[in-house]
Amino acid sequence: MARSGETATLSLEEVDRLTRRCLAAAGADDANAAAVADVVTRAERDRALSHGLFRVPGYCASLASGKVDGTARPEVRRLAPSVVQVDGRDGFAPLALAAGRAPLIERTRAQGVAALAVVRTYHFQALWAEIEPLCEAGLVALACTAYKPVVAPAGATAAFFGTNPLAFGWPRGERAPMVVDMATSAMARGEIQVAARDGHALPAGAGLDRHGRASTDPAAILDGGVQLPFGGYKGSAIAMMVELLGAGLIGERFSFEAGERDVEDGGPARGGEFVLALDPAAFGDAGGRHDHAEAFFARFAELAGGPRLPADRRYAARAETPARGVEVPAALHAELQRLAAGG
Amino acid sequence: MARSGETATLSLEEVDRLTRRCLAAAGADDANAAAVADVVTRAERDRALSHGLFRVPGYCASLASGKVDGTARPEVRRLAPSVVQVDGRDGFAPLALAAGRAPLIERTRAQGVAALAVVRTYHFQALWAEIEPLCEAGLVALACTAYKPVVAPAGATAAFFGTNPLAFGWPRGERAPMVVDMATSAMARGEIQVAARDGHALPAGAGLDRHGRASTDPAAILDGGVQLPFGGYKGSAIAMMVELLGAGLIGERFSFEAGERDVEDGGPARGGEFVLALDPAAFGDAGGRHDHAEAFFARFAELAGGPRLPADRRYAARAETPARGVEVPAALHAELQRLAAGG
């Protein structure tokens, strides 16, 4: 660990160890702390900062308040031949998602298509972190989750949807998978929180202030305002789809319910996650599919203007971080050290 | 049928009969003509004009050119316990989709989740027309299809994606289902064609002209220009997901391939369709789910600003059309009469 005036530079091993120590000090057992720390460390590695160390104080707060059980053991049930449910038993989502992963992969290979319904968990989980292992197992994957209400549907001025991320992944054999992971809000909540912390303005269209007026001030949006969906009424419709899959179908809380019932301890609200996996080999023509899709990606890369694949920036960061380390704002680093010491 | 100077007013029965006569005159057998006419009639009923009679001359052109087999009999195969494939055998999509519907519903109820892969078909199909029967069977449904390249990915200036519609439906018991059906382009191709025909300008963001400049002129976008995705890079990522599900996974043509290989007879290009269905009863808690989702819709309807559910406009039109009839531009009506007479 190196420190300059404003930031501390940590290795990935230090990120992992610090996160585990914070969670353990707040009451998490080894299995839960390791599962959360794995996601936090992968997020820092990929410079997906809004899912990284920034989230650890919230995780600790929800252990301290007693809302989240840091010793929970998820329970896996097969509800139908193609449906696996994981009851997180009031623990954090990463351990529940890990518990469901192998059963989902097994069911998908056996059936062609299968769904994983994760319920009774609390999370700040990045969806790409769940999509990637499924793609690495050769599967196509889709995931979504609802959260607390911070986004006004198109045509409304009151918060009702969460930022409701949707992720999709496509396996590419030896290459890193093509993974889309996007908030259905114009911006991710964490990005707005980071902008507020750092004093940056937001692009137009990010949200409304408490009076329903368009605003680019992150503080005004966070303080009684609302975020807006991306892409107007179409993005709003996708946010609704996320509510219905990630809450209605699996029997978990809609965003508006999570908002009403959360104890606001600074940590994640209760929520579920819907994950779908499809086995390309079950759709016939297994020999030619990989090359066919790769021809598609090759043509995409050659287009005038030079478009990039969705995960390219994350993968570029991933390649650089092990040598460069992770820069953490000094104030956050000090807070984490205090939490790790049980303070 | 009533006629004024500019339009003819047809009953839904007349729409259906006229469409069948046109298709039969071009070589379709009864089963294929009836399946296509059913979709055309439902589109006119719902004032979804870009999938209505406007499309019939194109269907006829593709029969006349020999590209589409108007006597095709789709073949249904179970590729895996949760995967049904329909080979349309070079026919129009509606008969293939109809052939796959009951097997998809049966598989979904047995497995909890199932997919339908429709291949080797030609279509101008409206996805909501396929989603609704699945919702009426009590299932959650998602569908998508790639098409000919008319949309530039975010960051590019050349066409690569189709308008790539994505649809999602949620069953509501006795009520009409909640159905989203949206092009992932800023506008549907058919809407731009209708605007060009009628001389209307488009909203900003619809596309670029042949020089890569933003344009609101439908003719400039159709004549060598490109459409744009809705919602910038996020909408573009969803358009890519549609390519990968609706072509890559099911083993059909990507939009860029459909564009290269189509004979350009004015009718639909070859393409596939991906349909996913989920049985809510397989996700546990069957008793409470309906009421839970209805509470969500009730809260949505009460939001300040008065947002509407995605299909509301279509359902309102549906309620009015049987009494009012369907207005058809006189030139189109004359063309259809000519086609029906074998001209």
Side-chain angles (χ1 to χ4, degrees), chain A residues 7-235:
Chain A
T7 62
T9 302
L10 275 61
S11 70
L12 291 173
E13 291 70 26
E14 287 170 324
V15 168
D16 182 70
R17 196 160 54 234
L18 179 58
T19 303
R20 290 184 194 226
R21 285 175 55 215
C22 291
L23 293 164
D29 63 16
D30 286 351
N32 279 279
V36 172
D38 177 60
V39 175
V40 168
T41 304
R42 290 163 68 197
E44 289 288 342
R45 177 197 62 187
D46 291 4
R47 269 176 234 145
L49 301 186
S50 64
H51 290 105
L53 289 168
F54 173 67
R55 294 295 196 183
V56 172
Y59 280 124
C60 292
S62 285
L63 291 167
S65 78
K67 183 172 78 180
V68 175
D69 180 358
T71 65
R73 284 293 169 273
E75 186 181 345
V76 180
R77 305 183 188 111
R78 187 188 295 182
L79 298 183
S82 284
V83 180
V84 177
Q85 184 191 63
V86 178
D87 178 344
R89 290 174 155 176
D90 290 319
F92 291 123
L95 197 64
L97 285 159
R101 192 171 299 138
L104 175 62
I105 291 171
E106 185 277 328
R107 286 289 83 200
T108 304
R109 288 187 177 145
Q111 304 292 314
V113 185
L116 173 66
V118 175
V119 298
R120 215 151 51 111
T121 58
Y122 292 81
H123 67 130
F124 287 144
Q125 172 82 16
L127 296 178
W128 57 261
E130 182 55 22
I131 292 282
E132 284 187 8
L134 299 173
C135 291
E136 285 159 8
L139 306 180
V140 177
L142 182 148
C144 62
T145 183
Y147 197 58
K148 290 158 74 172
V150 291
V151 173
T157 55
F160 185 65
F161 296 143
T163 55
N164 291 10
L166 174 70
F168 174 78
W170 178 268
R172 299 187 66 190
E174 296 301 305
R175 290 170 182 256
M178 196 296 294
V179 178
V180 177
D181 181 356
M182 47 183 263
T184 55
S185 51
M187 294 187 72
R189 191 77 174 171
E191 289 171 335
I192 296 178
Q193 290 169 329
V194 168
R197 184 193 70 189
D198 297 346
H200 297 149
L202 303 176
L208 310 176
D209 66 17
R210 62 167 63 242
H211 308 291
R213 295 175 304 212
S215 177
T216 59
D217 175 1
I221 291 170
L222 294 172
D223 178 23
V226 292
Q227 292 183 238
L228 288 174
F230 88 100
Y233 75 91
K234 292 188 179 188

Side-chain angles (χ1 to χ4, degrees), chain B:
Chain B
M1 193 268 290
R3 255 185 124 142
S4 69
E6 305 259 310
T7 62
T9 302
L10 275 62
S11 70
L12 290 174
E13 292 68 26
E14 288 170 323
V15 169
D16 182 70
R17 196 160 53 235
L18 179 58
T19 303
R20 289 184 196 227
R21 284 176 54 217
C22 290
L23 293 164
D29 64 16
D30 286 352
N32 279 280
V36 172
D38 177 61
V39 175
V40 167
T41 304
R42 290 162 69 197
E44 289 288 341
R45 177 197 64 187
D46 290 5
R47 269 178 233 144
L49 301 186
S50 64
H51 290 105
L53 289 168
F54 172 68
R55 294 296 195 182
V56 173
Y59 281 124
C60 293
S62 286
L63 290 167
S65 78
K67 182 172 77 179
V68 175
D69 179 358
T71 65
R73 285 293 169 272
E75 186 181 345
V76 180
R77 306 183 187 112
R78 186 188 295 182
L79 298 184
S82 284
V83 181
V84 177
Q85 184 191 63
V86 179
D87 179 344
R89 290 172 155 177
D90 291 320
F92 291 124
L95 197 62
L97 284 159
R101 193 171 298 136
L104 175 62
I105 292 171
E106 186 277 327
R107 287 288 82 199
T108 305
R109 288 186 177 145
Q111 305 292 313
V113 185
L116 173 66
V118 175
V119 297
R120 216 151 49 111
T121 59
Y122 292 81
H123 66 131
F124 288 144
Q125 171 83 14
L127 296 178
W128 57 261
E130 180 56 22
I131 292 283
E132 284 186 7
L134 299 173
C135 290
E136 285 158 8
L139 306 180
V140 177
L142 181 148
C144 62
T145 182
Y147 197 57
K148 290 157 75 171
V150 292
V151 174
T157 55
F160 186 65
F161 297 143
T163 55
N164 291 10
L166 175 70
F168 174 79
W170 179 268
R172 300 187 65 189
E174 297 301 304
R175 290 170 182 256
M178 195 297 293
V179 178
V180 177
D181 181 355
M182 48 183 261
T184 55
S185 51
M187 294 188 71
R189 190 76 175 172
E191 289 171 336
I192 296 179
Q193 291 169 329
V194 168
R197 184 194 69 190
D198 297 346
H200 297 149
L202 304 176
L208 310 175
D209 67 17
R210 62 168 62 242
H211 308 292
R213 295 175 304 213
S215 178
T216 59
D217 175 3
I221 291 169
L222 295 173
D223 178 22
V226 293
Q227 293 183 237
L228 288 174
F230 89 100
Y233 75 91
K234 292 187 179 187
S236 187
I238 292 178
M240 176 169 281
M241 178 180 85
V242 171
E243 295 277 342
L244 291 167
L245 291 173
L249 180 68
I250 67 175
E252 250 300 341
R253 292 181 184 169
F254 290 108
S255 296
F256 83 89
E257 295 170 325
E260 288 172 351
R261 299 188 199 170
D262 190 46
V263 297
E264 301 290 347
D265 55 18
R270 175 170 154 171
E273 186 168 328
F274 171 81
V275 184
L276 179 80
L278 305 110
D279 184 358
F283 284 77
D285 184 41
R289 183 176 300 97
H290 174 79
D291 290 347
H292 188 212
E294 289 305 312
F296 169 82
F297 290 121
R299 287 289 286 262
F300 177 84
E302 290 164 7
L303 290 173
R308 294 196 307 183
L309 288 176
D312 277 1
R313 193 170 58 175
R314 200 157 55 235
Y315 292 142
R318 185 176 303 181
E320 291 176 359
T321 303
R324 293 171 54 166
V326 168
E327 292 204 346
V328 184
L332 174 60
H333 187 242
E335 183 180 6
L336 295 170
Q337 287 187 308
R338 185 180 58 72
L339 288 167

